[in-house]
Each structure stands twice: as structure tokens, then as C-alpha cells.
Amino acid sequence: MGCTIKHIEYHLSSLKVTNKDLSFAFPNYSEDEIYKKIGVKTRFNTEKNIIGSDLAFLAAEDLFNNSDYKKADVQFLLFCTEGLDYIAPMTACILQDKLGLNNNIGALDLPAGCSGFTNALGMAKAIVESGQSDNVLLLFGDTPGLVSHPNDFPLRALFSDAGAAVWVEKTDSNQLGNFVYGVDGSGAKHLFVDHSCLRNPPNADWLEENADVGGMPRGQMKMNGLEVFSFSLKEVPLLVNAILEKNKLNFEDIDLFVFHQASNIILKSIQKKLKVSDEKMAYYIEDNGNTVSVSIPLALKKAEREGRIKIGSKVLVAGFGIGFSWSGTVLKY
Amino acid sequence: MGIQDLIKKLENELDEVENGSLTPETSIRDVEWWSSMHALVIIALIDTEYDVAISGADLKTIFTIQDIFNVIQEKKKNGSN
């Protein structure tokens, strides 16, 4: 017994931000310079109080509308986000009600950021293959824009707010390979949302300090780009080799490498270091930026549409980032 | 590897730099085009070309091309990747 990904949908937020828009906000950068530096043409931000679970909800509705899977069939719901509705209850409970799913299902939150897709997929495989459930609805919704300081150029130029829905189901053959996981919490300080929760809440001083930009009441994402870059360059090639080894595959066996779409320069450097050919490397960042946990399902969907993934394809997926944390596997189509 | 080899690779990699314009004494932070993005490009080049990992902390000790060369040599010697 195994399991496989049966259907993917993604949803980008409604507010489209072009490089022209950004160059108005940051007059030191021209449209061309922004594209050259960041490699992104458009990114998407939420508006009208839309948050991560709303984006996940919209992606889930698309999944039910565009596939044969029914709400009544869902046996387990995993919701992956770094922007929960509340500290408690779990947002997965709220989504169960909002989507009108049955009461006799499992529902859990999984906050994981850029390694969110591969972490959640690994958990879905465990749930299905241990016989706890015949299917898992994986929902993703991340809103880095809500915790980015308006004057933080790299964050505003790079990140997007998006949602995704992925249907994972029990199958006879095993199409989700063995998983590799890793974590190095000493990197937590290099990418985190400051003043966001119980350890360091957004107190009166913080709100006052940021009064000119609305107080940053949800906290502020702080990223040390150099450290994140060094981590990615060191850890992702090791992760790829570990995934190949654990799945008894050679580098040449992989038809497409779908990494978390962190940034153009990170992807290019990893591609160069691993010597991945252009046709086997997935770049789906230019039109939508870094969509955090949504980036891999978005890339898989686009690659499928473009015919880059076919029956028989072996696709290596690897998520990495905040934590620091990383994980990945091979998808056999 | 020699420092001229490093200079040639940097000149090829950095769009703003003309061939023959860098010397061991060039202070990378003082050139007008320097940005944090160039730090990433240099870290990537050293990693892929010399198989040496430079951290953000290492980069703080680097000012000139000679400093970059010295860090690579030092790390190669110690085998600390």
C-alpha cells in the first residue's frame, strides 16, 4: 500500500504588485533593477482582512469544483501555515466547519513555512500508510505580506501571499517516496517573526515604535538574507543526496528538481552547485514570487500544465527555510 | 589556485565589473555598485568554484579581494567546510 498526490490547486492573493508599483514605493530602485536583483516580475498581497486560512479555503473550493473529490469524502485535514487564525483553537477546526467537512475526521495544524509542503506531505503519507485514513486534504495558506515592514525592500519584493489545496489518497503502488527531514534551530534567529507571540508579544512599546506603519500588531518578519543564503547553499545539496540515497536512486534518474522557490539567486546557486541541467530545474518564481509553503505545489501544478511532468516522471521535491528546517522526497508519477 | 584566477572569476560573475579592473587591493565594499546582493553572489561563487562555505560572519572580516583569497586558502587548509 502507498499513496499519491491526486489533485493540486493554488490561489494567489488579489492585490497584484508589479515592479512599477514597487519602484514608486522604493524610488532608489528602477523597475529593471528590481527585476535584475530579485528575478520577480509580480507578487501578490492580501487585502480586505484576508488571511492564510481564507486563501487555503479558496484553494480548497477550487479543488472540490475542479475534481471528482467530494467534501464528504475527506477523512483527514492538515492545515499548514505560519499565520494561524488564533493561538487556539486549531485553525484546521475552523476550516473543517467553514468547508462543511464531516465531523468524524482528523484535523491538525502544522506550522512550518518554506519546508511546509514537504513536511505536510510526509505527515500525510504517514497517516495514510499507517492505515489511519484513506485520504488527506492538505491545505496551505501563508501571508508573509502581513508581517513584512512596509519599508523592507527585500521582503516586499520577494514574497507573496497564497494558498494551496492538495488531495493525497491511498493507492496500490507507492508513489510518494521515502522522506528525509532535517532541522537546525540555531538558525531560528536568522528568519523569524519578531513580536508575534507569547515569548515576545507586541506590547505597547512595540506598537508605539511602529505607530507610523500601523503598529505592526501581528509582528515583523526579520530575515538575515546572508545567513539564509549560506544555510540553503550548504544544506540543500546534502538534502538532495540524502533523498536520492534513501530512495535508492541516482542523480540521473530524476526528471525534474522542484525546490522550494526561495529566490532566484538561491535556486541558481543550488542548480550550479548540483550541476542540474536547465531542462531538469524548476523555476516558478518570476510571475508570483516566493509563496512560502505554496511554492512547491504551485510549481508542480505549473510543471504538469507545461508537460514537464508526465506519467513515469520522477520528481525530486525539497523544502527548506525558516527554522532552519528542511525535508524532501521523490514523487513517482 | 592563484589570486589572479579568483579575480578573473569575480570579474566574470559580477555584471558591474569590467575585466582587468579588480586588483588584490580592491576594497569590495567601497566600489559604488556594492550591495548585499553582491555578497550573495560572492558567497555562491566561492562555494561552487572552490567548494568552500563562507558564512555571514566570515564575510564581516572580508574587505578586499586579498581577504577573500586568504579566507578561501585558510578554509581549504583546515578542511573546514
Side-chain angles (χ1 to χ4, degrees), chain A residues 69-263:
Chain A
Y69 301 105
K70 302 277 174 270
K71 290 180 177 179
D73 297 334
V74 175
Q75 294 186 13
F76 212 110
L77 167 65
L78 281 180
F79 176 52
C80 179
T81 185
E82 293 213 304
L84 295 163
D85 283 28
Y86 306 99
I87 290 175
M90 286 191 287
T91 306
C93 301
I94 294 165
L95 278 166
Q96 172 272 330
D97 179 55
K98 201 170 166 187
L99 282 164
L101 307 182
N102 289 337
N103 295 120
N104 60 343
I105 68 168
L108 294 173
D109 286 348
L110 192 67
C114 297
S115 53
F117 173 74
T118 40
N119 281 351
L121 194 61
M123 294 306 108
K125 177 182 162 82
I127 289 166
V128 172
E129 292 186 5
S130 61
Q132 297 183 62
S133 163
D134 292 338
N135 61 52
V136 180
L137 175 63
L138 296 178
L139 298 182
F140 303 88
D142 269 310
T143 50
L146 293 179
V147 289
S148 296
H149 192 284
N151 298 335
D152 192 327
F153 175 75
L155 297 186
R156 288 205 43 206
L158 188 57
F159 285 99
S160 268
D161 304 327
V166 177
W167 187 275
V168 173
E169 189 163 86
K170 186 169 86 174
T171 47
D172 293 335
S173 62
N174 203 353
Q175 288 169 292
L176 297 189
N178 296 319
F179 278 74
V180 174
Y181 299 95
V183 62
D184 177 7
S186 73
K189 57 184 176 288
H190 298 311
L191 182 54
F192 74 112
V193 184
D194 197 9
H195 288 280
S196 60
C197 207
L198 300 185
R199 177 69 63 191
N200 193 8
N203 55 18
D205 287 348
W206 172 258
L207 297 172
E208 175 65 30
E209 201 180 305
N210 292 290
D212 58 329
V213 290
M216 303 293 295
R218 300 178 173 104
Q220 181 185 354
M221 177 156 47
K222 295 201 171 153
M223 177 171 77
N224 181 334
L226 271 182
E227 294 295 345
V228 173
F229 183 75
S230 300
F231 148 74
S232 308
L233 210 49
K234 172 173 168 259
E235 217 54 66
V236 178
L238 297 174
L239 172 62
V240 168
N241 288 330
I243 292 168
L244 292 173
E245 197 177 318
K246 204 159 181 185
N247 287 283
K248 297 187 174 59
L249 289 169
N250 295 317
F251 185 80
E252 298 73 31
D253 296 329
I254 301 300
D255 298 296
L256 188 66
F257 290 84
V258 179
F259 297 113
H260 162 57
Q261 305 286 296
S263 75

Side-chain angles (χ1 to χ4, degrees), chain A residues 23-34:
Chain A
S23 71
F24 274 122
F26 298 91
N28 290 341
Y29 300 100
S30 72
E31 254 179 270
D32 285 351
E33 275 171 334
I34 295 170

Side-chain angles (χ1 to χ4, degrees), chain A residues 263-273 281 283, chain B residues 48:
Chain A
S263 75
N264 224 25
I265 188 167
I266 287 180
L267 289 172
K268 273 190 182 158
S269 303
I270 291 170
Q271 180 184 7
K272 199 170 169 192
K273 196 165 173 181
M281 185 77 187
Y283 284 91
Chain B
T48 53

Side-chain angles (χ1 to χ4, degrees), chain B:
Chain B
M1 69 168 263
I3 194 161
Q4 288 309 323
D5 174 63
L6 171 67
I7 285 176
K8 200 176 279 178
K9 286 186 168 127
L10 285 169
E11 286 174 345
N12 281 341
E13 198 70 23
L14 299 167
D15 292 343
E16 296 84 351
V17 178
E18 279 178 35
N19 283 351
S21 68
L22 294 181
T23 69
E25 294 77 33
T26 306
S27 173
I28 51 169
R29 289 164 201 275
D30 292 339
V31 290
E32 50 157 337
W33 43 261
W34 178 257
S35 75
S36 58
M37 200 62 156
H38 293 95
L40 302 188
V41 171
I42 289 173
I43 289 180
L45 180 128
I46 295 169
D47 198 307
T48 53
E49 296 290 333
Y50 299 103
D51 201 22
V52 166
I54 303 263
S55 69
D58 292 328
L59 209 72
K60 286 192 181 129
T61 68
I62 288 172
F63 295 94
T64 64
I65 307 281
Q66 185 70 50
D67 292 337
I68 299 177
F69 183 74
N70 293 347
V71 168
I72 297 171
Q73 295 286 71
E74 186 75 10
K75 293 217 168 203
K76 280 254 178 218
K77 199 170 70 190
N78 296 335
S80 57
N81 255 327

